[in-house]
Amino acid sequence: MPAFDAYDGTRLAYHLRGEGEPLVVLPGGPMRASAYLGDLGGLDHRRRLVLLDLRGTGHSAVPADPGTYRCDRLVDDVEALREHLGLERMDILAHSAGGSLALLYAARFPERVARLALITVTPWALGMPATAEDRLEAARLHEGEPWFEEAFPAFEAWLKGDGGFDPVFIPFFYGRWDAAAQVHVADRAGQANDAAADVFLSDAAFDPPATLAALARLTAPVLVYAGELDGGPRPELARRVTEFFPRAEFTVQPGAGHYPWLDDPEHFAARVDAFFAG
C-alpha cells in the first residue's frame, strides 16, 4: 500500500488503479474511504487513478489532532500528496464533499492544478449548500418506483430534522436502485468516519468570499458534472458553480444520481476522459 507522511507526520495512504497519466481523486462522504469510488466506471482504463484515503479513513492513520479533519486543513494533505508524487501540476477529480476540498486547494494552489473535474459536488466552500427542498425535489423524480411511498416520508422527516437517518431512503441517492447500487450500499460498512465528518464541515473551514475571489483567477479548465436525478446538488445548483470560473464547462448525465459512474459507467468514463484529454 503506497503511503506518505503529511505535514504533521500523519501517515496517509493512497490506492493506484490503472495505467496512464495520473489523476488524483479526492473522495466525498464527507470523510469516507476512497474504496467506494471503485474504478470510477472504468476510468482506470484511460488514466492511472490515485485515490487518496483522507486522514482517519481507509488505510490512512488517525491524526493526533482531530481538528486537522477540518476541510481547509486537509488542503495541506493534498499538497503533500502532489509533492510525494513529484508532479508539477496535477489533474484532480473530486466527488461530492471532496469537491469543497478541491475548491479550497485550487484557491490556495491555483498554479498546481492542470484540470479539475467536480463530480456531483455540493459547493459548501462557495457558500452554496443544497437545501432540503432541493433534495426533496429530486426525490420526487423517483415517484412511481415501488419503494417510493415508504421512502419519501422518512426522507422528508430526516431532512426537516423530525426523524433519524433511515436506510429505507438510500435509493434516492442513486439513479437506478439496481444490483450495482445495492452492492455499493452493502460495501459502505466501515468506510465512513462520522466524527471526522462533523469537523470537516466546521463553519470556520470556509470563507466563501475569499474562495470565490481566488477562484476567479484560476486558469485551469474546470468541468462541473451533475446527475439529472441528484438532489445534492440539483443540476441548477451545479450550473451556478460554473459562473465562478474563467474556464468552465457543465454537463448533466441523464438518469444519474449522486454516483453517476454506477448509473452509466461508459457514459461517465467517456465524458470525464474527454475533458481531461482536452
Side-chain angles (χ1 to χ4, degrees):
M1 179 67 59
F4 63 99
D5 289 330
Y7 63 93
D8 61 350
T10 303
R11 193 72 173 165
L12 303 181
Y14 60 96
H15 306 259
L16 297 174
R17 286 179 176 267
E19 302 295 335
E21 292 297 313
L23 172 59
V24 172
V25 182
L26 304 180
M31 303 305 293
R32 185 174 176 183
S34 65
Y36 81 95
L37 295 161
D39 61 6
L40 287 172
L43 192 58
D44 64 334
H45 294 163
R46 306 159 190 258
R47 297 294 296 262
R48 186 167 178 80
L49 305 183
V50 182
L51 300 126
L52 178 63
D53 278 344
L54 300 176
R55 54 179 56 213
T57 72
H59 293 275
S60 288
V62 173
D65 178 7
T68 59
Y69 290 135
R70 210 171 73 180
C71 185
D72 59 327
R73 299 184 67 179
L74 293 174
V75 168
D76 290 319
D77 289 351
V78 179
E79 176 62 0
L81 174 60
R82 182 197 65 78
E83 292 177 348
H84 168 74
L85 296 172
L87 299 174
E88 183 67 22
R89 298 193 305 160
M90 57 185 178
D91 288 339
I92 301 173
L93 181 150
H95 174 246
S96 190
S100 283
L101 174 55
L103 289 168
L104 294 185
Y105 180 83
R108 194 186 305 176
F109 297 103
E111 72 283 0
R112 300 303 187 187
V113 180
R115 286 178 174 264
L116 171 62
L118 301 171
I119 310 300
T120 59
V121 166
T122 298
W124 285 301
L126 305 183
M128 300 163 58
T131 66
E133 189 49 49
D134 286 338
R135 296 183 182 278
L136 291 173
E137 179 184 348
R140 292 185 186 99
L141 298 176
H142 291 275
E143 192 168 3
E145 296 285 353
W147 44 265
F148 179 86
E149 289 190 9
E150 180 184 7
F152 188 85
F155 193 45
E156 185 174 33
W158 177 63
L159 290 170
K160 293 183 177 180
D162 297 329
F165 186 90
D166 189 332
V168 73
F169 55 67
I170 286 178
F172 287 128
F173 294 93
Y174 295 85
R176 298 180 303 187
W177 187 235
D178 57 9
Q182 291 169 40
V183 169
H184 193 246
V185 172
D187 287 345
R188 69 180 292 139
Q191 291 180 352
N193 185 333
D194 294 333
D198 292 337
V199 180
F200 179 97
L201 291 173
S202 301
D203 290 341
F206 305 121
D207 183 351
T211 301
L212 289 168
L215 292 176
R217 299 188 292 270
L218 181 69
T219 59
V222 177
L223 171 66
V224 180
Y225 197 107
E228 180 187 18
L229 305 180
D230 192 16
R234 295 291 297 127
E236 293 80 5
L237 176 59
R239 185 188 298 276
R240 288 175 54 202
V241 175
T242 63
E243 300 171 4
F244 303 110
F245 297 102
R247 300 174 63 192
E249 56 188 272
F250 175 69
T251 191
V252 179
Q253 182 174 314
H258 197 59
Y259 308 96
W261 62 89
L262 293 176
D263 295 311
D264 190 338
E266 291 184 4
H267 179 107
F268 177 83
R271 180 65 182 88
V272 172
D273 181 59
F275 166 72
F276 282 112

